[in-house]
């Protein structure tokens, strides 16, 4: 704390943690090397709290220290929306990785879930411009963006939480596009012409 002049008394640091009790604590500050400066070390801050400083009848404004965990990704949910002609329901997968393997033409929703509420972000597919990651209505649901699988490639992302901290994924998740080839049928057994008697039983296998 910096004073406008040498105080007549000892500055008192008042603070109270966020919580149901709201009990206020008061601790004397010690002289700092700066002129008219005083300090109070807080070696280990684990809870958010509000504070102000008093000297005699003078009182500072009230300030707040907010404590939060460093921004980290908890997981990635991939939802596959297959081409209409397949008549398949969407499929969702949640896990620690975001690698994508899908039929060309599949639309993929990528949802990033973090430990802190996401305020903004971008998802960047190789050779394409970044698209915004839109925060969900519920903070615990993260933020999502969509892209369509057209060819083999990769994507990455970055997010910023409500505290202004940014997480940038420095690597890439791969995108594997499965060619939309027509189906093929191969005879597995038998593979040769055969001559059999009228009551013979045979088993045919194909792939």
């Amino acid at each position: 704390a910096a004073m406008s002049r040498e105080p007549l008394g000892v500055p008192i640091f008042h603070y109270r943690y966020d919580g149901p009790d709201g009990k206020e604590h008061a601790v004397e500050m010690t002289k700092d090397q700066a002129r008219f400066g005083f300090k109070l070390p807080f070696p280990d801050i684990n809870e958010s709290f509000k504070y102000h400083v008093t000297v005699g009848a003078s009182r500072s404004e009230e300030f707040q220290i907010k404590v939060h965990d460093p921004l980290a990704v908890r997981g990635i949910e991939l939802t596959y929306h297959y081409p209409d002609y397949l008549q398949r329901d969407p499929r969702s997968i949640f896990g620690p990785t975001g690698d994508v393997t899908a039929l060309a033409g599949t639309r993929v929703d990528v949802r990033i879930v973090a430990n802190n509420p996401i305020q903004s972000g971008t998802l960047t597919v190789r050779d394409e411009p970044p698209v915004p990651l839109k925060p969900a209505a519920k903070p615990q649901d993260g933020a999502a963006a969509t892209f369509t699988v057209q060819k083999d490639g990769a994507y990455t992302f970055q997010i910023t939480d409500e505290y202004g901290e940014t997480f940038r994924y420095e690597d890439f998740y791969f995108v594997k596009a499965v060619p939309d080839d027509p189906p093929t049928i191969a005879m597995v057994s038998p593979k040769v012409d055969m001559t059999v008697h009228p009551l013979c039983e045979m088993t045919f296998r194909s792939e």
Side-chain angles (χ1 to χ4, degrees), residues 127-193:
D127 300 329
E128 296 185 16
V131 294
L133 283 161
K134 297 181 180 179
K138 297 180 180 179
Q140 65 269 25
D141 290 338
T146 301
F147 71 94
T148 300
V149 177
Q150 302 289 1
K151 60 182 180 178
D152 291 350
Y155 74 92
T156 189
F157 67 90
Q158 74 173 36
I159 54 175
T160 300
D161 64 14
E162 64 178 4
Y163 306 106
E165 186 172 354
T166 297
F167 174 91
R168 181 179 292 103
Y169 186 64
E170 300 295 345
D171 204 349
F172 290 87
Y173 291 114
F174 74 77
V175 177
K176 176 66 175 177
V178 179
D180 188 10
D181 295 329
T184 59
I185 299 176
M187 181 61 69
V188 176
S189 175
K191 287 188 174 182
V192 296
D193 294 335

Side-chain angles (χ1 to χ4, degrees), residues 187-190 194 200-206:
M187 181 61 69
V188 176
S189 175
M194 300 181 65
C200 177
E201 291 186 6
M202 296 188 63
T203 300
F204 296 89
R205 290 196 309 115
S206 63

Side-chain angles (χ1 to χ4, degrees), residues 89-130:
D89 293 332
R91 180 171 66 101
S92 295
I93 302 173
F94 182 83
T97 182
D99 293 331
V100 172
T101 299
L103 188 70
T106 300
R107 192 175 77 255
V108 182
D109 298 336
V110 181
R111 183 167 67 90
I112 311 297
V113 179
N115 60 331
N116 296 333
I118 298 175
Q119 188 175 64
S120 62
T122 56
L123 184 142
T124 304
V125 179
R126 184 180 296 166
D127 300 329
E128 296 185 16

